[in-house]
Amino acid sequence: MKFIHLTDTHVVASGLLYGQDPAERLTEAVTSINAEHSDAEFVIVTGDMTHWGDADAYARFANEITKLKIPFHLMVGNHEDTPSLMQTFPDLPRDENGFVQQAIDTAHGRFLLLDTKAPEGHAGAYCEARCDWLARQLEAPGAVFFFMHHPPFEVGIKAMDAIMMHDAEAFHDVISPHTSRIRHLFFGHVHRAIWGTWRGISYSCMRGLNHQVALDLQSPAEQIRGNFEPPAYGVVLLGDNQVTVHLHDFADRSQSFLL
């Protein structure tokens, strides 16, 4: 099975964001996916579709993402405004409490797309109601894959660690009995390519499309350093006994040659 992990597109309604046009980057990513990976099952966007959460930005995002030749699944991030999002995507799945999260059953296991948006601020949250929903989804047998915007752990960049998912222990209490069948955790938010393990669970994060967070392990939590490292998306290959995550620098224009 093959699918695409796209995150942090940060589209704005008009003009530039940090001197660049996020919608143009999204157009380029969609064009790349259609040309190179139209055999993928779907695209999962792990949040921060827009930068300001306004209706016009969601309309512009929709205009680009709907050009995909394959299905796509959308998730919310800290830059989202859920009411504005639902105006543009009224059929977006929500749980019984209105959180934008869903379970997708595939041939390789259950994909759990989680809503980690807090009511206020940029840090993530996973409240008791969401934990109850998650516990019910985990009652189904078989392999499990998690998708979320905020990581439930620190990554070493102090500014991003300050706005990780703050309900990490409660979240882990729910999932810990199932660790042996959790095959991978995919997240966004950090705008960097990161791989590792957390409490026995492998994880990966992709770069954003418009701008990145610099690899700055020294600056205080009050200071986020950005840069313009190349945009990328993930190409994920699933087998019965393996998860392979390729980072695709789709905007790279360097010469290709045979070795």
Side-chain angles (χ1 to χ4, degrees):
M1 177 182 177
K2 175 183 180 180
F3 69 90
I4 304 299
H5 178 199
L6 183 68
T7 194
D8 294 276
T9 54
H10 284 264
V11 171
V12 294
S14 61
L16 304 178
L17 178 65
Y18 306 124
Q20 301 190 114
D21 185 349
E24 288 185 0
R25 284 289 179 82
L26 178 56
T27 297
E28 192 172 0
V30 168
T31 300
S32 169
I33 294 168
N34 285 341
E36 302 174 71
H37 303 292
S38 61
D39 59 332
E41 295 283 336
F42 44 67
V43 175
I44 296 181
V45 184
T46 52
D48 282 1
M49 290 167 270
T50 71
H51 192 70
W52 303 114
D54 56 295
D56 288 343
Y58 284 117
R60 194 175 184 198
F61 170 84
N63 184 63
E64 301 304 325
I65 202 71
T66 54
K67 294 175 184 175
L68 283 167
K69 296 178 181 178
I70 57 177
F72 58 86
H73 302 289
L74 306 180
M75 298 171 55
V76 295
N78 49 291
H79 281 265
E80 249 63 78
D81 178 80
T82 304
S84 294
L85 170 65
M86 298 308 296
Q87 288 181 24
T88 305
F89 297 98
D91 297 327
L92 196 60
R94 304 173 80 174
D95 69 12
E96 65 273 16
N97 295 300
F99 294 109
V100 183
Q101 49 185 18
Q102 62 173 311
I104 302 171
D105 289 317
T106 77
H108 286 275
R110 172 163 279 198
F111 285 27
L112 294 174
L113 282 56
L114 309 184
D115 182 337
T116 62
K117 178 176 169 54
E120 296 180 354
H122 289 290
Y126 211 70
C127 60
E128 184 176 356
R130 281 175 277 192
C131 283
D132 289 344
W133 176 88
L134 178 58
R136 295 197 303 273
Q137 307 313 309
L138 290 170
E139 292 174 358
V144 179
F145 299 83
F146 284 114
F147 298 81
M148 50 209 307
H149 184 70
H150 300 81
F153 44 78
E154 297 181 347
V155 297
I157 301 172
K158 297 180 181 64
M160 302 310 295
D161 292 342
I163 55 174
M164 58 177 266
M165 191 178 80
H166 284 178
D167 297 321
E169 290 305 316
F171 173 73
H172 186 258
D173 286 345
V174 175
I175 70 172
S176 59
H178 308 276
T179 298
S180 63
R181 61 193 184 95
I182 299 172
R183 298 194 58 197
H184 200 73
L185 188 157
F186 300 86
F187 64 95
H189 189 52
V190 187
H191 289 242
R192 293 208 59 78
I194 305 173
W195 291 267
T197 60
W198 172 62
R199 299 184 179 186
I201 301 170
S202 64
Y203 64 75
S204 61
C205 178
M206 285 294 119
R207 296 185 197 138
L209 294 194
N210 188 72
H211 55 280
Q212 315 307 337
V213 171
L215 182 57
D216 177 4
L217 305 180
Q218 305 301 324
S219 294
E222 299 76 22
Q223 183 173 293
I224 302 178
R225 290 187 178 275
N227 64 27
F228 294 117
E229 293 176 53
Y233 58 77
V235 180
V236 185
L237 306 176
L238 299 184
D240 291 337
N241 301 298
Q242 187 172 350
V243 179
T244 301
V245 182
H246 292 277
L247 181 145
H248 184 25
D249 288 308
F250 63 89
D252 180 38
R253 297 293 181 266
S254 62
Q255 181 178 357
S256 176
F257 55 93
L258 295 177
L259 298 176

